[in-house]
Amino acid sequence: MEFKFGGSETNQKTVLGHPSGLFVLFFTEMWERFSYYGMRALLVLFLVSSLLEEGWGWERSDALVLYAWYTGLVYLTPIIGGFLADKIFGYRKAVVLGAFIMTLGHASMALEGMSNIFFYLGLLCLILGNGLFKPNISSIVGQLYKGNGKEKDAGYTIFYMGINAGAFLGILLCGYIGEKVGWHYGFGLAGIFMFLGMLQFYFAQSIFGNIGLSPKQTQDLDDSVEDTIEEIGENIEDVADEAENSKVVRDRITVIGIFAVFTIFFWWAFEQAGGSMTIFAADYTDRALEGSAANTFKIVNTIITLVPMVVITWVLIMLFKQTFGKYSMSNVWLGLSFLIIWGIVIWMLKKEFSSDATEVPASWFSVLNSLFIILFAPLFSKVWESKFNPSGPIKFALGLILLGIGFAVLSYGASAIPEGAKSASVSLMFLVVAYLFHTLGELCISPVGLSYVSKLAPLKLVGLMFGIWFIANFIANFLGGITGSYIDQISEEYGLSTFFLIFTVIPIAAAVILVVINPMMKRMMHGVK
């Protein structure tokens, strides 16, 4: 009997039309992103907070430089992690080991009050663990699907919804606890769910069959094909086919490189969310609410918290129905994590409703990105499966344009702020609208980019290609943090509006170039859509 999807027999049971194994990865990645984005939401705020607020009292520029190095390096180490998984560990062992190292990292950061060295040691563990985890879990997703068509694109979009469900909960809860209760409690909470996510994956990994095993445990399909060709013998037809195949491979790898270059422009601007946009939220946005405005926020915050939680819990229940009999231990750990998270959510909402005055946490605005992705990802997934599905380069161009529009909104909102001002009270709606456009742009680029790397890369180099893809993210995050560190210098000389305008003009210019070279890139993909 031939299976429709890769992996074991249990993996043929579907949830929302996709293999059950996709949702094992969905929840594993969800808790990893919970830990990453929960910590990232606190990093700059913790560093710039005064000693009286139990922060380190750093200058904005210094905090953003450290932010640049951290968010950059977590995308550089995946090339090493991808190589080690391809040649030694296999994807599954790499994911488990990476998750464990990141758990140690969060535990170390929770001890920052005892010694500064624990903080830096924690960051190092997060960087190294992420290198093993991130490229290899994405590689497993790609191998769940036997074809390279629309179904794989849709699968990656669903996977991306899991990524952002974790980011949503991490920013919301770690950000709230870090700002309202204590920084080290926020750092520690992130590690708890990283550990539970690791256990959930470990006890369900056999659902993937031979996918993700180490090279010693399974023979690569490409190697088998090459051995067979050698046995047939060398003749003119074989040589011609080999040459043609080599050209196809070269062209497709070149396309991955072009996509990687343009993704730098996107993430360079987008990752201002954890840096300059967080500073804008903390110091330039009117976050103090009273009376009806405070009540409205409490109601809206409750809705946007509970609705995604209900949706994700519904997905969890569907996964339980398909896999509990075979992977009960995995389901137990996953169920436990949701019981804990529901308890924290209810505690937070009850605490907010009992408070007389309301100040929106500066980290809260980052939640909007994940919320909008959870809401719009299913719609984009359907569009990519329909006849209106545009080519990859056009999707990237749309993403860059939408990102630029978001920063144009921020630039307009900041236009009334005097040059060099250290604080202001701009309406919070400018940040809300900006995050909406940024999210729509992200949905055009990030899950699509992951899917195209999976479809264009040679099978035995998928992990390495994902690692190279993340090098582009390293460059983008590092440059984005460094650029953000000039926020005070640029705003003093030209105004804060001009600072955000930079992130409007450059992405839109990159989008125009992509539209121009779209026909060439489509030819070089050799039929991959």
Side-chain angles (χ1 to χ4, degrees), residues 232-439:
I232 294 175
E234 295 182 358
N235 55 55
I236 296 176
E237 184 176 354
D238 288 338
V239 171
D241 289 342
E242 185 73 18
E244 179 61 24
N245 288 336
S246 296
K247 181 181 185 304
V248 169
V249 170
R250 283 198 304 270
D251 283 352
R252 288 176 175 173
I253 290 177
T254 300
V255 170
I256 293 176
I258 295 172
F259 277 135
V261 168
F262 281 94
T263 201
I264 291 174
F265 291 103
F266 183 86
W267 293 115
W268 162 75
F270 184 90
E271 285 298 327
Q272 297 304 309
S276 62
M277 287 177 69
T278 294
I279 288 174
F280 184 81
D283 298 335
Y284 297 97
T285 302
D286 184 8
R287 297 181 290 112
L289 304 178
E290 296 178 352
S292 60
N295 289 330
T296 300
F297 172 76
K298 290 174 183 178
I299 293 170
V300 170
N301 189 48
T302 300
I303 293 172
I304 68 172
T305 302
L306 293 181
V307 170
M309 279 295 298
V310 170
V311 171
I312 298 166
T313 304
W314 172 62
V315 174
L316 173 82
I317 292 170
M318 288 194 292
L319 178 63
F320 276 10
K321 288 180 179 179
Q322 300 289 35
T323 63
F324 196 90
K326 185 77 173 178
Y327 305 105
S328 56
M329 185 59 69
S330 171
N331 289 176
V332 165
W333 288 115
L334 184 57
L336 175 63
S337 67
F338 267 76
L339 286 176
I340 296 172
I341 212 75
W342 268 109
I344 296 172
V345 164
I346 292 169
W347 166 81
M348 179 192 72
L349 295 176
K350 183 179 178 181
K351 188 173 187 294
E352 279 300 293
F353 268 101
S354 64
S355 175
D356 295 330
T358 296
E359 183 179 62
V360 181
S363 60
W364 179 86
F365 294 95
S366 296
V367 168
L368 296 172
N369 171 238
S370 303
L371 171 69
F372 290 143
I373 281 183
I374 293 170
L375 295 177
F376 288 105
L379 173 62
F380 274 71
S381 179
K382 291 298 182 183
V383 172
W384 299 158
E385 289 184 283
S386 73
K387 63 180 180 180
F388 300 107
N389 182 35
S391 67
I394 296 300
K395 290 174 185 173
F396 266 57
L398 286 171
L400 286 162
I401 291 170
L402 290 166
L403 177 72
I405 292 172
F407 277 106
V409 171
L410 276 184
S411 179
Y412 177 75
S415 59
I417 299 175
E419 294 176 2
K422 294 295 184 181
S423 63
S425 295
V426 173
S427 170
L428 56 79
M429 289 307 299
F430 289 108
L431 273 171
V432 173
V433 175
Y435 272 110
L436 172 61
F437 278 103
H438 289 186
T439 302

